[in-house]
Every structure is written in structure tokens, then in C-alpha cells.
Amino acid sequence: MSIAQMKENMSRHAGFIAALDQSGGSTPGALRHYGIPDTAYSNDAEMFALMHQMRVRVITSPAFTGKKIIAAILFEQTMNGLVEGVPTPTYLWKERGVVPFLKVDKGLEAEADGVQMMKPIPGLDVLLEHAARLGIYGTKARSVIRLPEPAGVAAIVQQQFALAQQIAAHGLVPILEPEVLIKSPDKAGAEALLHAELRRGLEALPGEYQVMLKVSIPEKPDLYLDLVNHPRVQRVVALSGGYPRDEACRRLAANHGMIASFSRALLEELRYQMTDEQFNQALAASIDEIYKASSQKV
């Protein structure tokens, strides 16, 4: 796999990132939304098998190509699974021209100082070595900000940058995802604090590696434009955060240089019961709408 070509795609190509990394507690809800009830499986293995089938259906759809989707974020079991008999990362890059990323966080701690830090990630170095061998280009790790508490926001960002350094040591590109909840009582205030801390962290970043930033679509358009243009930032991407796709796309289109990394908003109209033709048409329409918001700004 060509790391240089992957970097070129991630740095310059138009398009967006498909977040296919629902895991753990979010999987049953994602399956229910897709039309598969809890009664369809009796244990975690069966649940994750059904989730993998859903993701394979998405990845193998004719609309899911590097023309409009430059990357996909995978759950660990999806990375280790097969698509048409080929390891998922290999299939994405070789057959679809889509750069593979891996979600590495293991969930969130209880809230303190208005934020939820990431739980420890045991065995991370072993996982990163394995991911690199499979052709994974980068990683994503999520933490959450609910309130504009300076100490909490600073701690979140420090944890994210410390993890990024560990990941970059394996030759992978880390996506830092400090999500500001869209239901925060002061979302704009939390985002202002986050922006300042991210800027500070980038200025102090050791080495020469680049990172990516995944943030909630800000209340103030172009809040992160200076970070989009920062030499240590490969890309700034936006999560949908629970907004319906039309609203997420409308908000995203007001932020220059920012592209989507949507999960729920990408998949919201897909259902297990659809025919392949219906499924592919719905996914293509979703991809077109998100691509437009990522590449055509107002």
C-alpha cells in the first residue's frame, strides 16, 4: 500500500470521511435503526457479525468509492474482518481507493470538570503495530466536552495530544476527536476554549508529524479556519454529532476547508429490509449531499 498516495489523498483530495466505527454500547442502537431488532442476536459475537454484514453492504455499494469518500474509520473487528475474502483495509484501498483508519479508544470515563476523558487503552502499542501491518493509515480517538470548564477542556486536549504522540511513533496519523456535545448548555463557549487549547497544543507539538482534528461543527462558522491552515494539521473534519443530515450539511457548508466525517448522518436512511437497488440509491444520495457540503462552501 502506498503511504505517499494515501497522504496525498488525505491532504488534498475533495471528499469526506465515512465513520463506520460504531462499537460496544452504540452497536445495538445502530442495528435497531438499520431495522435489526435486539431479538435477532443472542450474544455479542452474533451482534458484531450482523454489524459487520451491514458495513460490508455499505463498503461494497457502487457509490462507496474514492471519488467522493477519501477515507473510512473502522472498528477493530471490522479491520480484522474480510470483505469479499479480502482484509477490510486492503479492500478499501485496493478496490475502492478509500484510505483506512482505525478507532482506538475504549470508551469514556465518568464526567469530571464538565468533560469525559478517554479510558485507558491497554495493549495500544500491540494494536498499532497490528494495524500498521494491515495497511491502516491512521487512527481516531474520541473524548467529550459538555461544559466550558477551562480545567476540563485543557485536560481533554492534553490527553489527546499525548495519545497522538504515541500513535505517531508507529508511523500512523492520529485523528484527535474532542467532541463538544451539540446539547451543551454553552456550546459556543466550550468551542472557544477548545479552539484555544488545540492551537496551544499544535504550537507545542514535538517532532515533525502531522495530526488531524475531528470536531463538532462550530456555532461560529470558520472558527477552526486557522487550524485548517496550520502546517501540523493534515485535515480538519467535522462529526455530525446527532444533527439530522440536512442540518449537519447546512452547518458544514458554512465552514471553509472543513470536510465531513459523518456516521449517523451518512447512514440514517439505510434499512436492512431495502432491496440492493433501494439501498444503493439511498446511500448514493446521502454521499452526494455530504460531498457537496464538504466541497462547496457558502
Side-chain angles (χ1 to χ4, degrees):
M1 296 190 183
S2 171
I3 297 300
Q5 186 59 56
M6 288 184 181
K7 182 177 181 180
E8 173 72 14
N9 289 13
M10 292 312 306
S11 302
R12 301 181 184 278
H13 283 200
F16 68 95
I17 298 175
L20 305 177
D21 58 334
Q22 302 96 337
S23 62
S26 64
T27 304
L31 286 173
R32 284 194 294 270
H33 187 81
Y34 182 48
I36 297 178
D38 297 358
T39 53
Y41 51 88
S42 57
N43 54 50
D44 283 355
E46 293 178 0
M47 177 182 75
F48 286 122
L50 289 168
M51 198 70 202
H52 186 67
Q53 290 172 17
M54 173 191 170
R55 288 167 177 150
V56 169
R57 195 178 186 190
V58 170
I59 291 168
T60 57
S61 172
F64 198 93
T65 74
K67 284 187 176 181
K68 295 182 178 178
I69 298 171
I70 56 175
I73 305 171
L74 307 175
F75 176 48
E76 184 178 347
Q77 286 180 257
T78 309
M79 175 187 74
N80 289 327
L82 301 176
V83 179
E84 296 183 352
V86 177
T88 307
T90 303
Y91 182 89
L92 282 170
W93 181 240
K94 294 294 187 182
E95 301 298 329
R96 297 288 161 163
V98 174
V99 178
F101 281 76
L102 173 67
K103 167 191 163 72
V104 296
D105 67 86
K106 299 298 183 184
L108 302 170
E109 302 279 15
E111 182 177 317
D113 291 329
V115 304
Q116 288 181 272
M117 305 278 283
M118 290 179 282
K119 290 181 177 178
I121 310 173
L124 178 59
D125 287 313
V126 174
L127 175 62
L128 295 174
E129 290 170 7
H130 176 59
R133 285 195 300 269
L134 286 176
I136 291 291
Y137 176 77
T139 66
K140 189 210 79 167
R142 172 179 175 265
S143 46
V144 165
I145 299 168
R146 189 175 69 86
L147 298 173
E149 295 284 351
V153 175
I156 280 276
V157 173
Q158 289 168 11
Q159 184 189 42
Q160 285 278 357
F161 274 106
L163 182 63
Q165 187 170 358
Q166 183 180 359
I167 290 162
H170 290 267
L172 301 173
V173 177
I175 300 177
L176 289 63
E177 185 184 6
E179 175 183 355
V180 177
L181 295 176
I182 65 172
K183 294 184 178 179
S184 166
D186 185 4
K187 183 169 177 281
E191 287 167 344
L193 281 176
L194 174 61
H195 172 265
E197 290 295 336
L198 287 172
R199 180 83 196 192
R200 188 174 295 114
L202 288 167
E203 295 302 330
L205 200 60
E208 298 180 352
Y209 60 89
Q210 287 186 307
V211 302
M212 294 174 58
L213 305 174
K214 181 169 179 175
V215 293
S216 306
I217 307 171
E219 295 301 299
K220 178 184 177 182
D222 283 340
L223 173 66
Y224 298 109
L225 186 58
D226 61 324
L227 305 187
V228 170
N229 296 317
H230 196 284
R232 300 300 296 274
V233 176
Q234 198 165 103
R235 210 90 185 218
V236 176
V237 305
L239 56 100
S240 51
Y243 291 125
R245 186 172 68 242
D246 57 351
E247 183 176 358
C249 287
R250 178 181 59 78
R251 288 172 173 264
L252 177 62
N255 287 272
H256 296 78
M258 181 182 284
I259 66 172
S261 177
F262 290 175
S263 175
R264 281 169 287 186
L266 171 65
L267 308 174
E268 67 183 19
E269 294 174 2
L270 303 182
R271 299 294 181 271
Y272 172 75
Q273 296 83 359
M274 286 177 163
T275 66
D276 286 345
E277 182 179 5
Q278 292 169 331
F279 184 94
N280 293 334
Q281 286 178 348
L283 181 59
S286 178
I287 289 171
D288 287 348
E289 185 177 355
I290 298 169
Y291 176 84
K292 181 178 179 182
S294 296
S295 57
Q296 300 177 27
K297 302 298 183 176
V298 296

